[in-house]
Amino acid sequence: MKILVLGSGAREHAIIVALLAENVGHEVLAAPGNAGIGEVATLVDLDPNDPVAVTNYADDAGINLVVIGPEAPLVAGVADRLRENGVPVFGPGRAAAQLEGSKSFAKRIMQAANVPTGRALRATSLSEAAAALDELGAPYVVKADGLAAGKGVIVTDDRDAALAHAAEFLPQGSLLIEEFLSGPEVSLFFVSDGHTVVPLSPAQDYKRALDGDAGPNTGGMGAYSPLPWLAERFGGEEAFVAEVQRTVAEPVVRELANEQTPFIGLLYAGLILTDAGVRVIEFNARFGDPETQVVLPRLATPLSTLLFAAASGTLDEADAPRFTPDTAVTVVLASEGYPEAPKTGRAITGVAAATAVDGVHIAHAATRRGADGALVATGGRVLNVVATGATFAESTRRAYAAIAEIALEGSHFRSDIAARVVAD
Ligand code: AMP
Ligand code: GLY
């Protein structure tokens, strides 16, 4: 197949690596991609957020499948335009992508579909926000309604800090004040063709910048999959996945189909496992980053078949995805100053030595090649070291051995990724 992947991060690099690992001669192109993606796929100079440009390119180049990585092209209507022109595309249209783009839309769909989630109050002024904070009580959870690149949410015991966050984000639109939910977090992906829903394997993301879940929220500093501790609560991963499929993914996909806005793409359920049961804290309308980097290396069935079946409405006929029992861990190398003010433009060395560690590959998140061919950091999250192994002891040892080979002035990474499962 000739496959065009939109996006430029480690998630897109991981998707492309999984497509090429099928070894069936796919031709993979990426727009705009990055330095690492450019080593394995053809980079196309194309604005991924421009529906007309992407559709014209896909037509001219004879693309068989477009895979949309990030949320911005979804919200810009790229999938709608491609679909109108008969190009198979993995990614929802603008209307269904509101599941991620608008937290109040997501709450409305969850209410209509009877999906378990925290109680939330909408606020459009500071006085409404203050009243909602007092009604729901501490700890306070304040969320910007629209897309805010992971920066729109605050969880705090400090009422003044909650109000300050509300004041910061109110000019951009309404807010949700949400009931605080306590418990471990799980990211679970479902592939949907608008009607049929197929689960992938669960993962856990580390959102805070520093070890021990300290520091500010980030886009994600690491992840691991599978989650052995699910067995204690649910009797195994399969029972957990089946419950979330039945109580969350299927009702949401059914509701969106009923509203004539079918969800075709990746439904990412962000879950908290509270003592009272599973609760949805957010949906995303695309593969998670960095969770994808640990889920796809464990996929034992062809990714292209799955994504193409979703894009063409034939998931009910496709083989169910299967996963290896291997463990996978990813550790993110971030620039100095990330997430507040990352320093970019610095040279990176040691990637070849890191890649030489057994069971390791590097997914590039924000890199380019300088004029002299040297690798240069272009953003906050720069590289993902991804390691697989028979046990978490093995995969984490490999990941940390590899990241020790990489040098980027001022960079930082968490040293406790997957630590809680190493003994399992
Ligand atoms: P979100 O952008 O909605 O995923 O929120 C970002 C992070 O804030 C989540 O991964 C959680 O760690 C935390 N969070 C969000 N909503 C809640 C909630 N209702 N209770 C506790 N923590 C939350
Ligand atoms: N890992 C969180 C996200 O992709 O939104």
Side-chain angles (χ1 to χ4, degrees):
M1 263 198 275
K2 197 166 180 185
I3 306 172
L4 173 64
V5 177
L6 301 183
S8 63
R11 164 186 48 210
E12 289 74 24
H13 197 171
I15 290 169
I16 291 167
V17 165
L19 292 170
L20 294 172
E22 293 173 25
N23 256 323
V24 292
H26 293 312
E27 186 180 349
V28 180
L29 306 99
N34 60 38
I37 293 173
E39 288 168 14
V40 293
T42 306
L43 301 187
V44 182
D45 185 15
L46 179 66
D47 177 359
N49 299 324
D50 181 338
V52 174
V54 172
T55 305
N56 288 346
Y57 178 82
D59 271 340
D60 291 348
I63 299 293
N64 306 114
L65 175 67
V66 177
V67 180
I68 301 182
E71 58 274 28
L74 303 172
V75 172
V78 171
D80 301 275
R81 177 94 190 186
L82 285 163
R83 228 168 257 127
E84 281 158 22
N85 283 269
V87 181
V89 51
F90 185 78
R94 193 202 308 248
Q98 283 186 82
L99 214 47
E100 171 165 1
S102 160
K103 291 193 188 283
S104 55
F105 177 86
K107 284 284 181 198
R108 182 180 72 68
I109 296 294
M110 282 191 271
Q111 256 157 22
N114 207 12
V115 167
T117 184
R119 210 179 138 212
L121 300 169
R122 193 158 171 268
T124 55
S125 68
L126 214 49
S127 59
E128 275 178 22
L133 290 174
D134 294 336
E135 183 169 341
L136 293 176
Y140 304 106
V141 182
V142 180
K143 300 187 176 185
D145 196 355
L147 285 177
K151 293 183 184 138
V153 178
I154 192 173
V155 181
T156 177
D157 282 316
D158 180 345
R159 190 174 177 279
D160 290 340
L163 272 180
H165 187 81
E168 184 185 340
F169 281 93
L170 265 173
Q172 294 164 41
S174 60
L175 303 172
L176 284 187
I177 314 294
E178 199 170 277
E179 168 192 7
F180 175 78
L181 300 168
S182 169
E185 287 184 40
V186 175
S187 303
L188 184 54
F189 301 163
F190 295 89
V191 172
S192 168
D193 66 359
H195 302 280
T196 301
V197 172
V198 166
L200 302 185
S201 183
Q204 191 166 50
D205 177 19
Y206 288 74
K207 288 217 165 74
R208 301 292 189 119
L210 306 175
D211 282 6
D213 291 332
N217 261 325
T218 70
M221 293 297 290
Y224 67 91
S225 175
L227 309 181
W229 45 269
L230 283 173
E232 290 156 33
R233 280 176 97 119
F234 295 88
E237 175 177 316
E238 267 179 35
F240 168 77
V241 168
E243 177 182 324
V244 179
Q245 177 163 348
R246 182 175 53 79
T247 59
V248 175
E250 286 174 351
V252 163
V253 165
R254 205 179 303 127
E255 178 62 27
L256 288 168
N258 288 343
E259 297 192 9
Q260 312 305 321
T261 53
F263 190 96
I264 300 166
L266 198 290
L267 177 64
Y268 165 138
L271 307 163
I272 290 195
L273 313 190
T274 74
D275 289 341
V278 176
R279 299 283 183 273
V280 174
I281 43 169
E282 67 160 345
F283 285 119
N284 293 315
R286 40 128 190 117
F287 279 102
D289 190 347
E291 294 95 321
T292 301
Q293 289 86 298
V294 289
V295 171
L296 293 186
R298 300 184 47 241
L299 181 65
T301 47
L303 179 63
S304 66
T305 312
L306 188 65
L307 303 187
F308 189 78
S312 48
T314 57
L315 256 190
D316 56 339
E317 296 161 21
D319 289 338
R322 280 181 292 104
F323 288 84
T324 69
D326 278 353
T327 67
V329 172
T330 186
V331 182
V332 172
L333 185 77
S335 292
E336 179 178 354
Y338 177 76
E340 289 90 358
K343 297 235 188 326
T344 61
R346 291 180 175 167
I348 309 158
T349 56
V351 171
T355 310
V357 176
D358 248 3
V360 168
H361 69 272
I362 309 296
H364 289 227
T367 60
R368 66 174 170 81
R369 289 271 166 208
D372 55 356
L375 200 59
V376 174
T378 59
R381 292 188 295 174
V382 179
L383 296 171
N384 285 208
V385 174
V386 183
T388 53
T391 62
F392 279 111
E394 185 174 58
S395 48
T396 50
R397 187 173 45 70
R398 289 172 166 177
Y400 282 106
I403 208 164
E405 298 286 347
I406 301 176
L408 166 63
E409 187 196 335
S411 63
H412 60 100
F413 59 85
R414 277 185 65 157
S415 65
D416 62 349
I417 304 300
R420 68 171 292 195
V421 290
V422 164
D424 286 349

